[in-house]
Amino acid sequence: MKALVRWCTLLACAVLCLQVFFLLRIASFSLIPPESSSFERSQIWQVLTRQGRLPWRQEWVDQNRMSSSLKRAVLASEDSAFTQHHGIWWDSLEKAWGKNAKAKAQAERRAQRLGDAKPVEAKIVGGSTITQQLAKNLFLSGERTLLRKAQEMVLTLGLEVFLSKSRILEIYLNSVEWGEGVFGAEAAAQHYFRKPASALSAWESARLAVMLPRPRYFEQRPQSPYLASRAEVIVGRMNDVALP
């Protein structure tokens, strides 16, 4: 019994130290931009493994060197309530939990019909704000489990406590993926439109914003009808969102 208590104590201390480490790193981002994110490092490894070389474009630019149209388009597309929540949009998260619970139940019934004894893992998807996406990209792996989601929420709250909304958006726009080996607004603007991020028009900004959920997919399909029609919708919504 004493050994179990000792191991539980050590585990709790290790978890606490990890959280302190994460929070100290987050606090440092108020002054120093992150050199790279966990997601970027995983993509570097995949590209190197697949191609044997590293075609990579990324350049940090301050938010005053980004088109306000791009900021508005990304918010309109990804998180229109960005300035209103504290990192977690609970209504959206509740809906995502409901959808995932329903999907899990359906998967379990299907597994029972097929006689599959393998348990169905609980996975949480959807309901992510820009702050949550940034927390995941900066620190976490791509797995979708309850434990990883819990860690994401802790990091999300840490980002909201230590960083301003404008800084969170600035880091997000400088680190988000916009194609294979294309990270950040400046690299995306140069890659797709041969111009700096500060010169993007409303239409160009909307096109980039629509790409964000599936950047590598749309990079290969620049003439996608969905991309064009969705960009039109985002252009119409851009003036309805507030910038931090």
Side-chain angles (χ1 to χ4, degrees):
M1 185 65 181
K2 290 183 178 180
L4 179 60
V5 172
R6 189 181 300 115
W7 279 110
C8 288
T9 302
L10 288 173
L11 179 60
C13 288
V15 171
L16 179 60
C17 289
L18 181 62
Q19 304 314 308
V20 171
F21 169 75
F22 281 148
L23 294 177
L24 287 175
R25 284 203 64 194
I26 288 172
S28 72
F29 294 158
S30 63
L31 299 173
I32 305 170
E35 293 182 358
S36 65
S37 67
S38 175
F39 181 75
E40 286 173 351
R41 292 190 292 273
S42 70
Q43 291 305 300
I44 287 173
W45 176 252
Q46 290 183 27
V47 172
L48 279 173
T49 302
R50 184 170 59 253
Q51 299 187 19
R53 61 189 184 90
L54 187 61
W56 198 264
R57 301 187 67 160
Q58 185 173 23
E59 178 185 349
W60 178 278
V61 292
D62 296 335
Q63 56 183 313
N64 57 9
R65 293 171 55 198
M66 295 181 195
S67 165
S68 60
S69 292
L70 179 62
K71 299 174 192 176
R72 291 184 183 277
V74 169
L75 292 180
S77 180
E78 294 290 292
D79 188 357
S80 61
F82 178 67
T83 60
Q84 302 170 31
H85 59 65
H86 298 290
I88 300 170
W89 195 242
W90 296 105
D91 290 344
S92 180
L93 184 62
E94 184 179 353
K95 292 178 182 178
W97 273 81
K99 290 180 180 178
N100 279 277
K102 183 178 179 180
K104 181 184 177 184
Q106 292 175 343
E108 288 176 340
R109 289 195 295 269
R110 185 164 56 250
Q112 289 175 356
R113 289 198 304 270
L114 298 175
D116 189 352
K118 184 178 179 180
V120 178
E121 295 183 3
K123 297 183 178 181
I124 304 301
V125 298
S128 291
T129 65
I130 279 180
T131 313
Q132 286 176 270
Q133 292 177 44
L134 180 60
K136 178 180 65 176
N137 290 343
L138 285 175
F139 298 107
L140 304 176
S141 66
E143 64 179 347
R144 293 172 175 173
T145 64
L146 288 170
L147 182 61
R148 194 209 62 82
K149 195 68 177 180
Q151 178 67 83
E152 176 190 305
M153 294 176 73
V154 171
L155 294 171
T156 296
L157 295 176
L159 286 167
E160 291 281 338
V161 168
F162 287 103
L163 305 180
S164 66
K165 285 287 189 178
S166 60
R167 183 61 167 174
I168 290 171
L169 182 60
E170 182 179 43
I171 296 175
Y172 176 83
L173 289 173
N174 274 290
S175 60
V176 72
E177 182 187 34
W178 255 301
E180 186 170 77
V182 181
F183 283 83
E186 185 68 17
Q190 296 288 353
H191 180 68
Y192 293 106
F193 302 111
R194 302 295 187 268
K195 61 172 62 175
S198 60
L200 290 171
S201 67
W203 168 252
E204 292 163 344
S205 298
R207 293 271 297 191
L208 289 179
V210 174
M211 293 179 67
L212 284 177
R214 304 176 68 189
R216 279 169 282 173
Y217 174 87
F218 287 118
E219 183 182 26
Q220 301 300 319
R221 297 165 177 82
Q223 305 305 320
S224 164
Y226 171 83
L227 190 62
S229 62
R230 179 64 178 169
E232 291 280 4
V233 173
I234 296 303
V235 169
R237 293 179 179 176
M238 285 168 53
N239 290 329
D240 295 332
V241 298
L243 292 178

